[in-house]
Amino acid sequence: MEETWVNTAEPATSGPGHVAGTDLHLELSGEGSTRSRLMHALRESIRSGRLVPGTRLPPYRSLAQDLGIARNTVADAYAELVQEGWLSARQGSGTRVARRAAPLHPDQRRGPQRRTRRRVLHDLMPSSPDAAAFPRAAWLTSARRALAAAPNDAFGVGDPRGRPELREALTAYLARARGVRTDPDRIVLCSGFAHALRLLGSVLEGPVAVESYGLGFHRALLEEAGLRTVPLTVDSHGARIDEVPDTGAGAVLLTPAHQFPTGGPLHPERRAAVVDWARSRGGLLVEDDYDGEFRYDRQPVGAVQGLDPERVVYIGSTSKSLSPALRLGWMVLPGWLVDDVLAAKGARELWSGVVDQLTLADFIACGAYDRHLRRMRQHYRRRRDLLAHTLAARAPHIRVSGVAAGLHAVLELPRNTEDAALRAARRQGLAVDGLRPYRHPDSAMPPRDGLVIGYGTPPDHAFTAALDALCLALPGPPQNDG
Amino acid sequence: MEETWVNTAEPATSGPGHVAGTDLHLELSGEGSTRSRLMHALRESIRSGRLVPGTRLPPYRSLAQDLGIARNTVADAYAELVQEGWLSARQGSGTRVARRAAPLHPDQRRGPQRRTRRRVLHDLMPSSPDAAAFPRAAWLTSARRALAAAPNDAFGVGDPRGRPELREALTAYLARARGVRTDPDRIVLCSGFAHALRLLGSVLEGPVAVESYGLGFHRALLEEAGLRTVPLTVDSHGARIDEVPDTGAGAVLLTPAHQFPTGGPLHPERRAAVVDWARSRGGLLVEDDYDGEFRYDRQPVGAVQGLDPERVVYIGSTSKSLSPALRLGWMVLPGWLVDDVLAAKGARELWSGVVDQLTLADFIACGAYDRHLRRMRQHYRRRRDLLAHTLAARAPHIRVSGVAAGLHAVLELPRNTEDAALRAARRQGLAVDGLRPYRHPDSAMPPRDGLVIGYGTPPDHAFTAALDALCLALPGPPQNDG
C-alpha cells in the first residue's frame, strides 16, 4: 500500500485570488492498476466529504510527483473522474471537485453508474422496461392520425395543462384502468414523475412523510425544494400510516399499488387510513402509481385517488408502460390545487412536445395502449416466472419478494453480505442495485441487505445469461457450524 | 365611480392562525359591467403591489355587502381571477392573492394574456410563428424513417446530452447555416431557451449583463437562480459592450443576430469586443440565436460562437423555426462547461422525448429543415412587406424598426402614448405587446414608448384584417399647434 500526503487547495470561497493550502491523506490501497487505485482513493475522499465540492486539486504534475507515479496516470484519472462527474475542469481555474459530486442517490450518481455501465455484460438494474418492446409501428400509426387531425393551434404556444385531447383520453383511461376519478381540467401534463415532484415542491407544505425505502432521487427533489422528508416504517402491508400524525407532515408520498422497491400493495385499511388522515388534517397524499399497470398474481388494486380526489395528487407516466425515453407524465390534481401547480409550471407549455401528446392521446383512445400493456404483462410475467424458478432451483436459500407486480424483485440477503454480493455481481459483469441506497438515512428500521433486480431491461435473448450471472454472484447458503 | 374601503387580511406569514386586518381602497372605476370593473380594480391592486401575494381576500359575501353589489358578481369575479392566475383558492384557507401573481413579464403573465386572449380577434403578439405552417407531412415522413432506423436502446433510459443522431445533425447544420464550430460531444439538448437558461443558472457566475430591452421572463429565470442582472445600453448597433467591464459581470446574455425586441444585429466591432472581453476576463457570452434563420434584407450574420467556441454558449431551438409546441432546443457549450451543465441536468434525460429528437435529426439531415426555412422566410418576408407598406401608407408618422429579420417589428410611438395605444388596440380586439415591459427596470436608458408587433402568428386569411385593426389603434399624427 502506498500512502502520501498531497497538498490541495481549499475551496475558493473568498474569491479566486484567495487560495490556502491544506493537506490531504491519499491512500492508494486495494487491488488493480495504479490508475484505478488513484481513482478509487479520490472518489472515496469525495464521497466521505474529505474533499468538499469546489476544492481545487493539485495540478496533475505535482500530484504525480508527490505520489511517485506517471504524469499520464494522474492526467487520465482526472479526465475520467471529470467524465464521471466527480471532478470538473475549467479553463484557468484548474480541476476541482464538482459541485454536484455529493448526492449519490440511485438516479443521479453519474460516477459509479457510468463506471459500472462501461463494462456491463448483463443489465438487471431496476426501473427500466424492455426497450426492444417499444411499439414502433402502432406509435407511428397513432402519430399519423394525430398529425392529420390536430387543429392548427396545436402548433402554437401550448397551454401549460397540456393538450385537451390527451387530458380527455387520460380521464377515460385512468377511470377505467385505475379507478381514478377526475375530469380533464384537473389533469396537468408533465415530463414524468420527477417533473411532477418538482412542480409539487413549491406547492406542498412540509415536512413530507415518505416510505423508509424509496428512490433517493425523489427524496432529494423534495429536499431541494426545501421540504424535509420524514421516513415511515414499511412492512409487508406497505407504509405504516399510523406513524403519519406524529411526523407533523403536511403531505405523504406513497407507492400504494406496489411499494417500491420492497414489495406489495398498501393494505386496504391503510389506504382508508391515509385518506382519513388527509381529510382530518387538511393533508395531501401524493400517489406515485409508477407501475400500476403491471400486476400478475393478485387482484388489480385501484388508485387510492378514487377514495377522495380532493385529497390525493395522482401521478403516472409512460416511463414503465412504454419507454423512459418518451418523457410524458400526468398529474391528476384536487381542484383546489390546479392553479397553484399551473402557477409553478408557468404560463405556457415549456416541456412536453405536442406531437407526443397528441400521439399518446390517439394511442390510448384507439385501444393500442391497452393492447400493448396486455402484451407486456405477459412478457414480464414470463420473465418474472423464469427469475423465480431459476432462483428457487439454484439459490433456494435466497428469499425473493415483491414479485406480484412490477418489473423488479428484491432478493433478501443475509446481514452484511450486500456489499460482497454487489462486488461479486460486478465481477460477473452484472449491473444490479443494492437495497441500502434506497433506505431513508433517518429511518428507524434496521438496515436490510438485499439486491434489487430489474427484469425488464435485458433483451429476450440475453435474459437467461443474465440470470446465470446473477446466480453466480449470490452468496452461498449459510454454513451449519453446529 | 363607486369607491369603498374593504377589509382584507394580511398575508399569513406567521402561520394560518395569525391574521390581522388591513384596509384596501378599492375603486370600481371605468367602463363596463360591475363585474368587469371589480375585476379590473382587483387586478390593478395586485399589479401595483397594494395586494401582495399571499394576502387573503375577504369572503365574497362580505365584499359584496361592502361594495353594495350582488354576491354572485363577486363570486364570479373571484372565480375568473383564480382562472386567470391572479388569485388562488384553497379549501379551508379562502381566496388569496396567488403566489405567482406578481411577475408580469411577457412570457408568464397568465392573467392579462388569458384575459386578452378571450376576446382577441386579431393576434399580433410577438414571438410566435405561424402555427398553420407546421410541416406535418414532412415531419411524419421523418418520424417514420427515424422510428424504423432507431436502435432499441433509443427507447431505454436516455443520455442527458440527448440522442447522438440529433447532436450530429445539429453539428453539421449549425456549422453550415450559422457558422457554429462544435462537435456532437459539446452539444446538450434541452426543451427550449428557458430550459437552457435554467441549466446555466447553476453554472454561470454572476452578475449577468443583459440588454436593456429583452424578455423579462429571461431576466426572471436568471434572478431565480440567484444571478443579478445588469442592463447594458442598447443602440442601433446592439448592446454597448464597452459597458460590460464596469458591471463586474461574469457572463453576458445577448441576442446578437437580431436584438430582441428593438432591432438589428450586433455590430461587427462589438461582436469582436465581447469575445475579447470574455477572453481577457475569463467571462462567458450566452448567445440567444432565437431567430437567426429569419433574415430578409441584410447579409446573413453568423453566430458569434464561431469567433471563440470556448468562450460562448450558443443556444437555439425550434420554437421560431418550426413550432413553440415542439419543445426542442440545444446548447452548444465550451468543452470545459459540458460537465457542469450535465451535472445540473442530471444523470439521465428527463425532458426531451426521444421520438421528437430522432425525428428532428432526420428532418435536418434529409434537407427538409432547410426547405421549410426557405419557405417560411418567403412567407414572413411577404408579411413583413405588407406590414411596412400598410403602415407607410396609413400611418406614415409611425417609425417602424427591427424589420430586417425575425418575426416582429417595433412601432415607435410618441412619448407617453403607449398605454393609450394598448387600450385602443384592446378596443379593436387586437392583442399586441407594449415596449415598456421589455425594459430592464434598472436601465439608465430613458423609457421608450412603442408597440411590439408579431406578424408571424395570424393565419394568412386574417392578416390583412389584423393590420386594419392595428392602424385604427395607432395614435394620429402630432397636431401642429403653431
Side-chain angles (χ1 to χ4, degrees), chain A residues 276-336:
Chain A
D276 285 346
W277 164 82
R279 281 181 184 154
S280 64
R281 305 283 186 111
L284 200 66
L285 166 64
V286 180
E287 178 170 23
D288 178 4
D289 199 36
Y290 75 101
D291 67 357
E293 282 96 351
F294 294 123
R295 55 184 188 272
Y296 308 122
D297 306 327
R298 54 187 170 77
Q299 288 301 306
V301 180
V304 177
Q305 193 269 359
L307 298 182
D308 191 343
E310 288 297 298
R311 289 286 131 210
V312 181
V313 175
Y314 171 94
I315 304 174
S317 82
T318 56
S319 295
K320 304 287 179 297
S321 61
L322 281 164
S323 161
L326 212 51
R327 311 312 316 148
L328 274 178
W330 42 86
M331 318 174 70
V332 178
L333 295 163
W336 53 273

Side-chain angles (χ1 to χ4, degrees), chain B residues 40-63:
Chain B
H40 178 77
L42 285 167
R43 279 196 210 97
E44 279 310 307
S45 304
I46 295 169
R47 206 197 305 260
S48 66
R50 274 183 295 157
L51 281 174
V52 301
T55 307
R56 186 188 293 183
L57 295 181
Y60 69 90
R61 289 182 193 80
S62 327
L63 184 59

